[in-house]
Protein backbone atom coordinates (compact mmCIF):
# COMPACT_ATOMS: atom_id res chain seq x y z
CA UNK A 1 0.00 0.00 0.00
CA UNK A 2 1.29 3.43 -0.88
CA UNK A 3 0.18 6.97 -0.29
CA UNK A 4 -2.17 8.26 -2.96
CA UNK A 5 -0.16 11.41 -3.70
CA UNK A 6 2.99 9.32 -4.15
CA UNK A 7 1.29 6.99 -6.60
CA UNK A 8 -0.06 9.93 -8.62
CA UNK A 9 3.33 11.68 -8.68
CA UNK A 10 5.16 8.48 -9.64
CA UNK A 11 2.76 7.94 -12.51
CA UNK A 12 4.24 11.09 -14.04
CA UNK A 13 0.89 12.91 -13.99
CA UNK A 14 2.20 15.80 -11.88
CA UNK A 15 4.45 16.63 -8.94
CA UNK A 16 3.70 15.31 -5.48
CA UNK A 17 2.74 18.79 -4.28
CA UNK A 18 0.32 19.24 -7.18
CA UNK A 19 -1.11 15.78 -6.46
CA UNK A 20 -1.77 16.86 -2.87
CA UNK A 21 -3.56 19.97 -4.12
CA UNK A 22 -5.67 17.89 -6.48
CA UNK A 23 -6.58 15.44 -3.73
CA UNK A 24 -7.47 18.20 -1.26
CA UNK A 25 -9.65 19.93 -3.83
CA UNK A 26 -11.65 16.77 -4.51
CA UNK A 27 -10.30 16.06 -8.01
CA UNK A 28 -9.20 12.51 -7.24
CA UNK A 29 -11.30 9.38 -6.98
CA UNK A 30 -10.38 5.87 -5.89
CA UNK A 31 -12.65 3.05 -7.05
CA UNK A 32 -15.37 5.54 -7.91
CA UNK A 33 -15.38 7.54 -4.66
CA UNK A 34 -13.83 10.99 -4.23
CA UNK A 35 -10.92 10.87 -1.79
CA UNK A 36 -9.82 14.19 -0.34
CA UNK A 37 -7.73 12.97 2.58
CA UNK A 38 -4.01 13.19 1.99
CA UNK A 39 -2.90 10.17 4.00
CA UNK A 40 -5.07 7.71 2.06
CA UNK A 41 -3.25 4.54 1.05
CA UNK A 42 -3.92 2.69 -2.18
CA UNK A 43 -2.83 -0.59 -3.69
CA UNK A 44 -1.88 -1.56 -7.22
CA UNK A 45 -5.41 -2.88 -7.86
CA UNK A 46 -7.23 0.36 -7.01
CA UNK A 47 -8.65 2.38 -9.87
CA UNK A 48 -7.46 5.96 -9.51
CA UNK A 49 -8.83 8.85 -11.55
CA UNK A 50 -7.30 12.32 -11.40
CA UNK A 51 -9.44 15.00 -13.05
CA UNK A 52 -11.14 12.02 -14.70
CA UNK A 53 -7.86 10.71 -16.13
CA UNK A 54 -6.90 7.15 -15.20
CA UNK A 55 -3.54 6.84 -13.45
CA UNK A 56 -1.27 4.14 -14.77
CA UNK A 57 1.93 2.90 -13.22
CA UNK A 58 4.67 4.56 -15.23
CA UNK A 59 7.43 2.45 -16.78
CA UNK A 60 10.70 2.97 -15.00
CA UNK A 61 13.61 4.42 -16.96
CA UNK A 62 17.28 4.61 -16.02
CA UNK A 63 19.93 6.71 -17.72
CA UNK A 64 23.65 7.07 -17.23
CA UNK A 65 24.84 10.53 -18.28
CA UNK A 66 28.28 12.04 -18.65
CA UNK A 67 27.38 15.43 -17.20
CA UNK A 68 29.11 18.39 -18.85
CA UNK A 69 30.21 21.53 -17.00
CA UNK A 70 27.75 24.39 -16.78
CA UNK A 71 24.64 22.33 -16.07
CA UNK A 72 22.77 22.15 -12.78
CA UNK A 73 21.83 18.75 -11.45
CA UNK A 74 18.64 19.89 -9.80
CA UNK A 75 15.24 19.66 -11.42
CA UNK A 76 14.47 23.35 -10.74
CA UNK A 77 16.92 26.21 -10.75
CA UNK A 78 16.23 29.66 -9.36
CA UNK A 79 18.62 31.23 -11.91
CA UNK A 80 17.08 29.40 -14.85
CA UNK A 81 20.36 27.74 -15.79
CA UNK A 82 20.54 24.71 -18.05
CA UNK A 83 19.31 21.61 -16.22
CA UNK A 84 20.63 18.10 -16.33
CA UNK A 85 17.19 16.78 -17.28
CA UNK A 86 17.23 18.99 -20.42
CA UNK A 87 19.99 16.76 -21.78
CA UNK A 88 17.87 13.62 -21.86
CA UNK A 89 15.23 13.00 -24.45
CA UNK A 90 12.32 11.53 -22.49
CA UNK A 91 8.74 12.40 -21.63
CA UNK A 92 9.14 10.84 -18.16
CA UNK A 93 9.62 12.92 -15.01
CA UNK A 94 13.18 11.88 -14.27
CA UNK A 95 15.55 13.28 -11.67
CA UNK A 96 19.20 12.76 -10.81
CA UNK A 97 20.38 10.32 -8.15
CA UNK A 98 22.38 12.70 -5.96
CA UNK A 99 24.08 15.82 -7.20
CA UNK A 100 27.12 17.02 -9.03
CA UNK A 101 28.10 20.69 -8.80
CA UNK A 102 27.47 23.07 -11.70
CA UNK A 103 31.15 22.88 -12.68
CA UNK A 104 31.65 19.16 -11.94
CA UNK A 105 31.58 16.75 -14.86
CA UNK A 106 31.08 13.03 -15.08
CA UNK A 107 28.92 10.09 -14.28
CA UNK A 108 25.40 10.52 -12.90
CA UNK A 109 22.27 8.35 -12.96
CA UNK A 110 18.86 9.81 -13.79
CA UNK A 111 15.66 7.89 -13.23
CA UNK A 112 11.99 8.07 -12.32
CA UNK A 113 12.45 5.14 -9.92
CA UNK A 114 12.18 6.79 -6.51
CA UNK A 115 12.78 3.55 -4.67
CA UNK A 116 16.13 2.90 -6.32
CA UNK A 117 17.17 6.55 -5.99
CA UNK A 118 16.46 6.45 -2.24
CA UNK A 119 18.38 3.22 -1.82
CA UNK A 120 21.45 4.53 -3.63
CA UNK A 121 21.44 7.87 -1.80
CA UNK A 122 20.98 6.39 1.66
CA UNK A 123 24.18 6.85 3.70
CA UNK A 124 23.94 3.31 5.12
CA UNK A 125 24.34 1.83 1.63
CA UNK A 126 27.88 3.18 1.23
CA UNK A 127 27.81 3.41 -2.55
CA UNK A 128 31.36 4.12 -3.76
CA UNK A 129 31.93 7.15 -5.95
CA UNK A 130 35.27 7.86 -7.58
CA UNK A 131 36.38 11.36 -8.53
CA UNK A 132 39.45 12.80 -10.21
CA UNK A 133 40.36 16.20 -8.82
CA UNK A 134 42.82 18.60 -10.42
CA UNK A 135 44.41 20.57 -7.60
CA UNK A 136 45.89 24.07 -7.69
CA UNK A 137 49.22 22.75 -6.39
CA UNK A 138 51.06 19.49 -5.96
CA UNK A 139 49.83 17.57 -2.93
CA UNK A 140 52.55 16.87 -0.37
CA UNK A 141 53.22 13.34 0.92
CA UNK A 142 52.19 14.52 4.39
CA UNK A 143 48.81 15.78 3.13
CA UNK A 144 48.31 12.52 1.23
CA UNK A 145 48.74 10.69 4.54
CA UNK A 146 46.29 13.00 6.30
CA UNK A 147 43.81 12.62 3.45
CA UNK A 148 44.02 8.82 3.60
CA UNK A 149 43.37 8.77 7.32
CA UNK A 150 40.37 11.07 6.88
CA UNK A 151 39.60 14.75 7.44
CA UNK A 152 36.86 16.26 9.55
CA UNK A 153 34.22 18.28 7.72
CA UNK A 154 31.66 19.87 10.01
CA UNK A 155 32.79 17.57 12.78
CA UNK A 156 32.18 14.41 10.75
CA UNK A 157 35.20 12.58 9.40
CA UNK A 158 35.30 11.83 5.70
CA UNK A 159 37.52 8.79 5.24
CA UNK A 160 38.21 7.99 1.60
CA UNK A 161 38.14 4.34 0.56
CA UNK A 162 41.03 4.96 -1.83
CA UNK A 163 43.35 7.82 -2.69
CA UNK A 164 45.77 7.74 -5.59
CA UNK A 165 47.92 10.53 -6.95
CA UNK A 166 47.68 9.99 -10.70
CA UNK A 167 49.66 12.76 -12.21
CA UNK A 168 52.10 15.32 -10.89
CA UNK A 169 53.16 18.33 -12.95
CA UNK A 170 55.91 20.01 -10.95
CA UNK A 171 56.46 22.67 -13.64
CA UNK A 172 52.86 23.88 -13.52
CA UNK A 173 52.54 22.93 -9.83
CA UNK A 174 49.36 20.91 -10.30
CA UNK A 175 48.36 17.31 -9.82
CA UNK A 176 45.49 14.91 -10.38
CA UNK A 177 44.23 12.98 -7.39
CA UNK A 178 41.83 10.08 -7.70
CA UNK A 179 39.68 9.76 -4.62
CA UNK A 180 36.95 7.23 -3.80
CA UNK A 181 34.40 8.07 -1.13
CA UNK A 182 31.09 6.61 -0.04
CA UNK A 183 29.39 9.69 1.25
CA UNK A 184 27.33 12.23 -0.58
CA UNK A 185 27.51 15.50 1.34
CA UNK A 186 27.31 18.59 -0.86
CA UNK A 187 30.68 19.75 -2.27
CA UNK A 188 32.36 17.06 -0.19
CA UNK A 189 35.41 16.49 -2.41
CA UNK A 190 36.12 20.21 -2.77
CA UNK A 191 35.67 20.69 0.96
CA UNK A 192 38.00 17.83 1.81
CA UNK A 193 40.80 19.30 -0.32
CA UNK A 194 40.05 22.86 0.85
CA UNK A 195 40.44 21.73 4.44
CA UNK A 196 44.00 20.73 3.57
CA UNK A 197 44.71 24.02 1.79
CA UNK A 198 44.13 22.99 -1.85
CA UNK A 199 41.65 24.30 -4.38
CA UNK A 200 39.98 21.92 -6.78
CA UNK A 201 40.32 23.49 -10.22
CA UNK A 202 38.54 20.65 -12.02
CA UNK A 203 36.45 17.80 -10.74
CA UNK A 204 35.08 14.84 -12.59
CA UNK A 205 33.29 11.74 -11.33
CA UNK A 206 34.57 8.71 -13.17
CA UNK A 207 32.82 5.86 -11.34
CA UNK A 208 29.55 5.32 -9.51
CA UNK A 209 29.25 1.94 -7.77
CA UNK A 210 30.34 -0.52 -10.50
CA UNK A 211 29.41 1.87 -13.32
CA UNK A 212 32.03 3.68 -15.36
CA UNK A 213 31.91 6.33 -18.04
CA UNK A 214 33.60 4.06 -20.61
CA UNK A 215 33.20 5.76 -23.95
CA UNK A 216 30.39 8.17 -23.10
CA UNK A 217 31.48 11.62 -24.24
CA UNK A 218 30.57 14.78 -22.39
CA UNK A 219 26.80 15.31 -22.64
CA UNK A 220 26.17 11.79 -23.94
CA UNK A 221 24.01 9.27 -22.14
CA UNK A 222 22.82 5.69 -22.41
CA UNK A 223 20.14 3.61 -20.76
CA UNK A 224 21.20 1.25 -18.00
CA UNK A 225 20.74 -2.42 -18.85
CA UNK A 226 18.29 -4.58 -16.89
CA UNK A 227 21.28 -6.41 -15.45
CA UNK A 228 22.84 -3.15 -14.23
CA UNK A 229 19.55 -2.04 -12.62
CA UNK A 230 19.25 -5.41 -10.88
CA UNK A 231 22.81 -5.10 -9.63
CA UNK A 232 22.10 -1.60 -8.28
CA UNK A 233 19.06 -3.00 -6.46
CA UNK A 234 21.44 -5.34 -4.63
CA UNK A 235 22.29 -2.33 -2.43
CA UNK A 236 18.81 -2.76 -0.95
CA UNK A 237 19.97 -5.75 1.11
N1 LIG B 1 32.08 16.69 -4.35
C1 LIG B 1 32.15 17.96 -4.79
O1 LIG B 1 32.85 18.78 -4.21
N2 LIG B 1 31.44 18.29 -5.87
C2 LIG B 1 30.69 17.43 -6.57
O2 LIG B 1 30.08 17.81 -7.56
C3 LIG B 1 30.62 16.10 -6.11
C4 LIG B 1 31.32 15.75 -4.98
Amino acid sequence: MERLQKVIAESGYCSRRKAEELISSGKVSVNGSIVSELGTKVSGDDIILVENNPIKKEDKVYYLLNKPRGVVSTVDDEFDRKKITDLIDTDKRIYPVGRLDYDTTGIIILTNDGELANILMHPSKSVEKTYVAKLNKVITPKDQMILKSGVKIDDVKCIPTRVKVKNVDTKKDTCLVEITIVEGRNHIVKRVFESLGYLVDKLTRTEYAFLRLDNLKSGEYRELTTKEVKKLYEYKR
Side-chain angles (χ1 to χ4, degrees), residues 1-228:
M1 299 286 277
E2 282 186 309
R3 286 172 162 252
L4 184 53
Q5 58 266 43
K6 181 167 182 255
V7 174
I8 296 171
E10 284 186 353
S11 76
Y13 187 86
C14 58
S15 68
R16 196 178 292 206
R17 184 168 300 172
K18 180 76 189 161
E20 288 173 354
E21 276 173 33
L22 291 167
I23 295 168
S24 300
S25 57
K27 303 262 171 58
V28 178
S29 73
V30 178
N31 302 327
S33 307
I34 297 286
V35 169
S36 51
E37 217 171 285
L38 287 181
T40 306
K41 296 216 166 165
V42 289
S43 77
D45 298 332
D46 289 322
I47 296 168
I48 303 164
L49 297 184
V50 179
E51 300 176 308
N52 286 327
N53 300 299
I55 292 299
K56 286 192 278 161
K57 258 203 154 153
E58 193 178 54
D59 289 340
K60 300 290 183 240
V61 289
Y62 307 87
Y63 298 99
L64 187 73
L65 168 74
N66 183 353
K67 178 192 170 296
R69 278 168 97 92
V71 178
V72 287
S73 55
T74 45
V75 179
D76 296 307
D77 181 51
E78 53 177 327
F79 305 112
D80 217 19
R81 291 172 295 184
K82 192 168 183 165
K83 297 190 292 281
I84 198 165
T85 44
D86 297 337
L87 301 174
I88 302 210
D89 185 16
T90 177
D91 56 359
K92 307 270 193 303
R93 294 166 58 85
I94 55 168
Y95 40 86
V97 177
R99 281 189 187 184
L100 289 178
D101 294 335
Y102 187 67
D103 58 352
T104 300
T105 60
I107 196 164
I108 189 160
I109 296 173
L110 294 106
T111 182
N112 56 351
D113 183 343
E115 185 188 2
L116 183 64
N118 287 334
I119 294 168
L120 296 175
M121 287 191 289
H122 199 278
S124 69
K125 302 303 177 190
S126 301
V127 177
E128 285 194 340
K129 295 157 275 261
T130 298
Y131 298 85
V132 175
K134 183 177 182 211
L135 305 186
N136 69 329
K137 54 188 177 185
V138 175
I139 188 165
T140 64
K142 183 172 167 233
D143 286 337
Q144 286 179 48
M145 292 285 289
I146 298 173
L147 182 61
K148 283 177 186 163
S149 59
V151 291
K152 262 195 183 168
I153 305 292
D154 293 337
D155 281 342
V156 180
K157 223 174 192 192
C158 174
I159 308 175
T161 320
R162 274 189 306 278
V163 174
K164 194 171 163 199
V165 179
K166 288 186 63 123
N167 207 313
V168 175
D169 188 334
T170 39
K171 262 195 197 148
K172 290 191 182 148
D173 195 18
T174 61
C175 66
L176 292 182
V177 182
E178 188 176 74
I179 177 168
T180 303
I181 53 171
V182 294
E183 64 161 284
R185 279 185 279 169
N186 274 352
H187 317 303
I188 189 66
V189 175
K190 291 176 187 165
R191 296 181 70 197
V192 161
F193 284 110
E194 272 163 26
S195 76
L196 294 169
Y198 301 86
L199 285 178
V200 174
D201 285 337
K202 273 190 185 162
L203 185 62
T204 186
R205 185 157 71 187
T206 53
E207 292 174 41
Y208 185 97
F210 55 87
L211 297 164
R212 287 158 190 260
L213 279 174
D214 293 326
N215 39 25
L216 277 185
K217 297 197 180 73
S218 175
E220 283 185 351
Y221 62 91
R222 68 168 174 89
E223 287 201 48
L224 292 182
T225 64
T226 312
K227 208 169 152 190
E228 287 169 333

